[in-house]
Amino acid sequence: MKKFLYLFFVILFTSVSAQEKKEFQLSSHILDITVGQPVEKVDVQLEKFDETTKQWVSLGKKQTDKNGRIADFLPYSKDLKSNYGKYKLIFLTEDYFKNKKVESFYPFIEVVFQIKDDKHYHVPITLSPFGYSTYRGS
């Protein structure tokens, strides 16, 4: 009976751990610090720097959800090193402020960063009409 219970908990733990593995290596979100609320419906572009051509290559565009988040940028690859490199998130903030009838200084915000391992990267911004901040989150 003890062996059965032990096996049961090993299988349960293994399946829970497997479910916790994220499918995407990169996520982001936007928080408007002037109102303390997430920013929804903002387009965010992802680009990767091609070291050979010295050009930025578009990898796609997504839109923040009602919680101001994008959870599904950059899927994990079987060859994890293929995701290593320099990236840029471009937050297209101009329409957000126009829709709020708020004067702003930054029509878009570019955040450049590097992925050097197979860990998850969370790159958010806090936003106001005349400033922003970013950091590597978790």
Side-chain angles (χ1 to χ4, degrees):
M1 183 66 169
K2 287 183 181 179
K3 287 183 181 180
F4 175 75
L5 285 174
Y6 176 76
L7 184 59
F8 172 76
F9 284 112
V10 167
I11 291 170
L12 179 66
F13 177 77
T14 304
S15 66
V16 168
S17 295
Q19 291 173 356
E20 289 177 0
K21 180 161 175 52
K22 298 183 188 249
E23 294 180 42
F24 296 91
Q25 191 170 8
L26 177 63
S27 60
S28 184
H29 78 268
I30 306 173
L31 177 67
D32 183 338
I33 59 174
T34 60
V35 294
Q37 296 291 318
V39 177
E40 66 178 304
K41 297 182 180 176
V42 169
D43 289 332
V44 182
Q45 295 173 197
L46 175 63
E47 297 182 358
K48 184 175 184 181
F49 189 71
D50 184 319
E51 295 290 346
T52 304
T53 64
K54 304 298 183 199
Q55 299 289 317
W56 288 100
V57 177
S58 177
L59 299 179
K61 184 191 309 187
K62 305 238 179 207
Q63 193 173 76
T64 56
D65 65 14
K66 67 180 180 175
N67 295 315
R69 296 185 176 276
I70 299 173
D72 58 353
F73 265 135
L74 198 60
Y76 275 104
S77 170
K78 288 181 182 181
D79 173 21
L80 292 173
K81 289 189 177 184
S82 68
N83 282 354
Y84 291 12
K86 296 174 186 155
Y87 290 86
K88 175 169 45 174
L89 285 172
I90 305 167
F91 299 85
L92 305 172
T93 57
E94 185 172 36
D95 287 343
Y96 168 72
F97 286 115
K98 279 185 179 178
N99 291 337
K100 291 181 62 135
K101 297 179 177 34
V102 172
E103 179 79 22
S104 69
F105 185 67
Y106 299 103
F108 61 90
I109 298 164
E110 294 184 340
V111 178
V112 179
F113 57 96
Q114 292 185 81
I115 291 181
K116 296 181 176 183
D117 54 38
D118 62 347
K119 295 181 180 163
H120 180 79
Y121 286 71
H122 184 67
V123 182
I125 61 170
T126 55
L127 179 66
S128 73
F130 295 96
Y132 67 92
S133 181
T134 186
Y135 56 96
R136 179 171 177 191
S138 60

